[in-house]
């Protein structure tokens, strides 16, 4: 009975061909509109970076590659600072995050959920608030101990370690969770020492997770803006802050070229990642 | 996602292992406690201090900074504008994101992984780099300006520094994120269900609205909330496309700190921003009917 009334209902509500056509057209417009919204700014940036003009002038009188040679000299200081921070923050977060991720998957103890939440918290808290908080914290400690902390490289580094470590924890946990413990136990029962088990069994199993953790923590520290705003000081600024400052007053081919170079660097990192780690999309979500 | 993976129960372990867990987790936990938890607690303490333009911070325990925010129409206006821009861009994000996500979820071609990679790349470029393209389009003498000038030479048309420009910028920034989240939602719905609906005579649109849409509601709700929170916290996009006279919450935190030196009030804005996003997330979670919620 209900099946009958169901089909009658369906038959009564078959949309007219015109409505169906309009609907399909609307979906198509949204589909291509969405792609334009995502990719048009990137395409425009690449296009502008080749202009042989000091400003945006359409159409340019010529095209040039010279802006790409000027990017590194122009942003040398901030680029160096960014790379210095990354050079410490990436290995540092691996040293902190890998053992933590291991413990979260392989050990059982009370309060595990709470520790897990704490370690991943920096991924959810608005970093603009955290940046302000870290700066005020460093000022307060400086007042108490006279240690020159406010605006120091050490505090900048600590902040970036806080941003990168959760990525490492998350990716190490993700790479170990589906890993069978039987191989480790078999190695141990065959007489391998705990260190040998870790070196010969656990570590190779984590390989993909470690590569992903290295690249993601690099991307996270390289692009960090909101927190870093509060931690830079005169003479010590990072690339995203320098680019933001530049963009407030100019929009020109030089900054477009800088953006394209950043795009290429991150694209290369992601392509590399995609070769080693399958299902990249799942890590991001 | 990660919280579920963390709840995997490991086999029973002895006391020695408890100790080693502490050693393994200690350094990372200490880092987060020192760089995140303690500073946020201190930030809250600062938000209760009094501020004086000449003497700067006067230690006190007062809610006057919070009262100042909720009674001053300028700051309430900032909060309202932030919510409006975030809500508008999130709605558009759903509208533009769903068709791409749905098509992506139902394709098995080789192009799929390339497409996913293409969506992930902008996600990691940072808001500043992503805004450059929109500035080229919107800025004075930019493409849009020129295009309008061709048709109406005397019309004054400036897109730069308008709420619409900020909304488009945030929409464009969050769209890949929305697409990837929705793609995961749609992929979890068995395509056989739609095929069954088609087989029973439903047009594709009807099959989508009556079968796929209800099943995707919980995931859709979570994606919407995450997208909304991201939009609320936007910093670079409103600064660059909105200009110095366009005020949203996150940029205002920095302005109060850097330009006005009013640390207690900057702390208040930061906390109100955090609280609003958390509150909205909780409310939205309550609104989702219980039987749609993930177990």
């Amino acid at each position: 009975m209900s099946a009958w009334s169901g089909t009658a209902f369906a038959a009564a509500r078959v949309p007219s061909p015109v409505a169906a056509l309009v609907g399909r057209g609307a979906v198509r417009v949204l589909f291509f509109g969405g792609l334009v919204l995502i990719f048009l700014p990137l395409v425009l940036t690449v296009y502008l970076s080749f202009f042989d003009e000091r400003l945006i002038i359409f159409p340019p009188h010529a095209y040039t590659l010279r802006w790409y040679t000027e990017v590194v000299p122009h942003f040398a200081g901030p680029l160096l600072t960014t790379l210095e921070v990354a050079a410490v923050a990436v290995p540092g977060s691996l040293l902190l995050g890998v053992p933590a991720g291991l413990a979260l998957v392989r050990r059982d103890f009370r309060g595990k959920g709470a520790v897990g939440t704490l370690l991943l918290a920096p991924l959810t808290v608005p970093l603009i608030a955290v940046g302000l908080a870290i700066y005020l914290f460093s000022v307060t400690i400086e007042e108490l101990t006279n240690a020159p902390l406010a605006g120091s490289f050490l505090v900048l580094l600590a902040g970036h370690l806080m941003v990168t470590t959760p990525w490492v924890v998350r990716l190490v946990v993700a790479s170990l969770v589906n890993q069978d413990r039987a191989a480790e136990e078999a190695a141990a029962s065959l007489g391998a020492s705990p260190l040998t088990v870790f070196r010969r069994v656990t570590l190779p199993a984590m390989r993909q997770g470690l590569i992903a953790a290295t690249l993601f923590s690099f991307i996270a520290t390289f692009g960090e803006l909101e927190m870093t705003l509060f931690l830079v000081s005169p003479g010590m600024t990072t690339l995203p802050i320098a680019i933001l400052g530049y963009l407030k007053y100019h929009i020109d081919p030089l900054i477009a070229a800088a953006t394209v170079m950043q795009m290429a660097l991150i694209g290369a990192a992601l392509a590399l990642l995609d070769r080693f780690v399958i299902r990249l999309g799942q890590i991001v979500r | 996602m990660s919280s579920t993976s963390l709840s995997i129960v490991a086999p029973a372990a002895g006391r020695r292992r408890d100790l080693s867990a502490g050693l393994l987790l200690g350094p990372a936990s200490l880092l987060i406690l020192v760089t995140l938890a303690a500073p946020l607690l201190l930030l809250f303490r600062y938000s209760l201090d009094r501020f004086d333009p000449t003497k700067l911070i006067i230690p006190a325990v007062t809610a006057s900074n919070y009262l100042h925010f909720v009674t001053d129409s300028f700051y309430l206006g900032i909060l309202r504008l932030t919510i409006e821009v975030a809500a508008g861009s999130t709605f558009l994000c759903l509208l533009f994101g769903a068709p791409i996500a749905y098509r992506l979820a139902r394709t098995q071609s080789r192009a799929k992984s390339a497409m996913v990679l293409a969506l992930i790349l902008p996600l990691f470029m940072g808001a500043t780099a992503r805004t450059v393209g929109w500035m080229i389009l919107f800025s004075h003498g930019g493409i849009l300006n020129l295009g309008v000038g061709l048709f109406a030479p005397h019309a004054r048309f400036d897109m730069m520094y308008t709420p619409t420009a900020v909304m488009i910028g945030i929409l464009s920034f969050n769209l890949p994120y929305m697409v990837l989240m929705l793609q995961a939602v749609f992929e979890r719905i068995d395509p056989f269900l739609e095929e069954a609906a088609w087989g029973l005579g439903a047009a594709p649109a009807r099959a989508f609205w009556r079968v796929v849409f209800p099943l995707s509601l919980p995931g859709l709700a979570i994606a919407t909330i995450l997208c909304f929170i991201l939009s609320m916290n936007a910093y670079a996009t409103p600064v660059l496309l909105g200009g110095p006279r366009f005020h949203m919450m996150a940029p205002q935190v920095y302005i109060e700190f850097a330009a006005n030196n009013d640390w207690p009030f900057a702390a208040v804005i930061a906390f109100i921003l955090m609280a609003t996003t958390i509150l909205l997330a909780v409310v939205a979670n309550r609104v989702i009917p219980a039987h749609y919620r993930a177990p």
Side-chain angles (χ1 to χ4, degrees):
Chain A
M1 188 61 213
S2 61
W4 271 109
S5 56
T7 25
F9 188 55
R13 289 253 304 242
V14 166
S16 71
V18 177
L21 212 64
V22 169
R24 212 169 306 158
V27 171
R28 191 154 297 174
V29 165
L30 287 175
F31 179 85
F32 288 108
L35 292 182
V36 166
L37 278 167
I38 295 172
F39 296 112
L40 177 68
L42 307 186
V43 173
L44 283 178
T45 310
V46 175
Y47 179 49
L48 178 67
S49 72
F50 298 125
F51 276 29
D52 193 5
E53 300 279 357
R54 288 230 150 262
L55 297 161
I56 315 177
I57 296 166
F58 286 105
H61 77 269
Y63 294 95
T64 176
L65 282 170
R66 78 183 151 112
W67 300 113
Y68 285 91
T69 60
E70 288 183 21
V71 168
V72 173
H74 196 277
F75 290 104
L79 182 64
L80 194 66
T81 309
T82 307
L83 292 178
E84 277 169 4
V85 171
V88 186
V90 172
S93 58
L94 285 170
L95 279 176
L96 293 169
V98 172
L102 269 171
L104 283 174
V105 180
R106 291 288 194 249
R107 299 284 189 269
D108 196 23
F109 54 91
R110 261 202 285 174
K112 187 154 124 173
V115 175
T117 309
L118 175 78
L119 291 181
L120 297 179
L123 294 175
T124 45
V125 182
L127 288 175
I128 193 110
V130 181
L132 176 65
I134 292 179
Y135 179 76
L136 298 188
F137 191 65
S138 68
V139 168
T140 310
I141 301 280
E142 184 171 325
E143 277 169 3
L144 291 175
T145 62
N146 273 328
L149 283 178
S152 70
F153 186 74
L154 188 72
V155 172
L156 178 68
L157 203 58
H160 276 256
L161 266 176
M162 187 262 304
V163 170
T164 49
T165 303
W167 280 104
V168 175
V169 172
R170 189 182 189 178
L171 291 163
V172 166
V173 167
S175 71
L176 281 176
V177 131
N178 299 319
Q179 189 67 40
D180 199 347
R181 287 202 70 175
E184 287 169 28
E185 279 156 11
S189 72
L190 287 170
S193 71
L195 197 68
T196 312
V197 172
F198 178 75
R199 209 166 47 83
R200 301 292 295 271
V201 183
T202 317
L203 208 55
M206 287 164 58
R207 202 182 70 111
Q208 291 192 340
L210 289 179
I211 295 169
T214 308
L215 289 172
F216 271 86
S217 55
F218 177 77
I219 291 172
T221 167
F222 193 81
E224 213 300 315
L225 172 77
E226 283 93 341
M227 177 196 71
T228 313
L229 267 178
F230 295 89
L231 306 183
V232 292
S233 50
M236 183 192 71
T237 185
T238 66
L239 192 58
I241 309 270
I243 290 181
L244 182 78
Y246 190 93
L247 271 175
K248 276 187 191 167
Y249 304 103
H250 329 260
I251 168 82
D252 57 20
L254 174 69
I255 205 75
T259 309
V260 174
M261 287 173 85
Q262 194 186 339
M263 215 189 295
L265 186 69
I266 292 171
L270 287 175
L272 201 66
L273 198 61
D274 200 49
R275 283 193 72 103
F276 291 104
V277 186
I278 350 144
R279 295 200 294 185
L280 194 57
Q282 309 230 318
I283 292 162
V284 181
R285 290 191 279 261
Chain B
M1 46 222 130
S2 306
S3 59
T4 50
S5 46
L6 292 179
S7 63
I8 297 271
V9 182
R15 212 165 239 296
R16 197 182 59 79
R17 287 199 157 174
D18 282 356
L19 194 69
S20 74
L23 279 177
L24 293 172
L25 284 163
S29 307
L30 191 69
L31 170 77
I32 306 293
L33 284 174
V34 171
T35 55
L36 185 79
L40 281 179
L41 281 175
L42 186 80
L43 186 69
F44 182 67
R45 180 64 193 83
Y46 265 105
S47 75
L48 303 176
D49 280 342
R50 217 182 285 282
F51 174 77
D52 184 278
T54 50
K55 282 177 268 177
L56 300 179
I57 294 163
I58 305 161
V61 180
T62 167
S64 64
N65 295 314
Y66 288 92
L67 285 174
H68 180 202
F69 188 97
V70 295
T71 50
D72 191 323
S73 61
F74 176 70
Y75 292 106
L76 284 181
I78 292 176
L79 181 60
R80 199 180 57 227
L81 179 66
T82 308
I83 293 176
E84 280 169 5
V85 168
S89 64
T90 304
F91 173 74
L92 291 174
C93 227
L94 264 178
L95 214 60
F96 283 104
I100 302 175
Y102 188 62
R103 189 171 291 189
L104 211 53
R106 291 290 183 257
T107 340
Q108 293 302 331
S109 72
R110 280 182 156 268
K112 183 173 172 169
S113 62
M115 185 67 196
V116 169
L117 201 63
L119 286 169
I120 289 172
L121 170 66
L123 216 52
F124 282 96
M125 277 177 51
T128 319
R130 298 272 306 281
T131 310
V132 172
W134 291 117
M135 291 178 79
I136 297 167
L137 197 61
F138 295 155
S139 68
H140 194 77
I143 298 181
L144 204 63
N145 226 237
L146 239 87
V148 171
L150 282 180
F151 295 105
H154 300 293
R156 272 189 57 85
F157 181 77
D158 263 326
M159 188 70 153
M160 199 65 169
Y161 297 165
T162 62
T164 316
V166 176
M167 192 114 95
I168 292 176
I170 295 178
L171 164 66
S172 164
F173 182 68
N174 287 340
L175 198 51
Y177 200 64
M178 182 63 116
V179 170
L180 289 170
M181 286 191 291
L182 291 184
Q183 182 215 344
V185 171
F186 290 138
E187 259 172 12
R188 265 183 241 124
I189 297 166
D190 199 329
F192 283 129
L193 293 173
E194 289 141 84
E195 282 161 25
W198 299 338
L200 290 169
R206 189 170 155 80
F208 179 83
W209 287 111
R210 296 296 293 269
V211 178
V212 180
F213 178 68
L215 286 170
S216 63
L217 264 181
L220 228 69
I222 290 166
T224 308
I225 292 166
L226 286 176
C227 188
F228 185 82
I229 290 175
L230 272 179
S231 314
M232 284 278 297
N233 292 326
Y235 178 83
T237 317
V239 165
L240 292 175
L241 294 178
R245 286 168 64 193
F246 184 86
H247 299 278
M248 274 175 73
M249 291 290 276
Q252 198 63 29
V253 173
Y254 187 71
I255 289 173
E256 295 295 338
F257 163 81
N260 302 349
N261 260 314
D262 191 343
W263 298 356
F265 202 62
V268 164
I269 298 178
F271 269 103
I272 290 177
L273 179 60
M274 266 198 274
T276 317
T277 51
I278 291 167
L279 190 77
L280 287 167
V282 170
V283 168
N285 204 36
R286 283 284 165 84
V287 171
I288 306 168
H291 61 274
Y292 280 135
R293 255 178 251 161

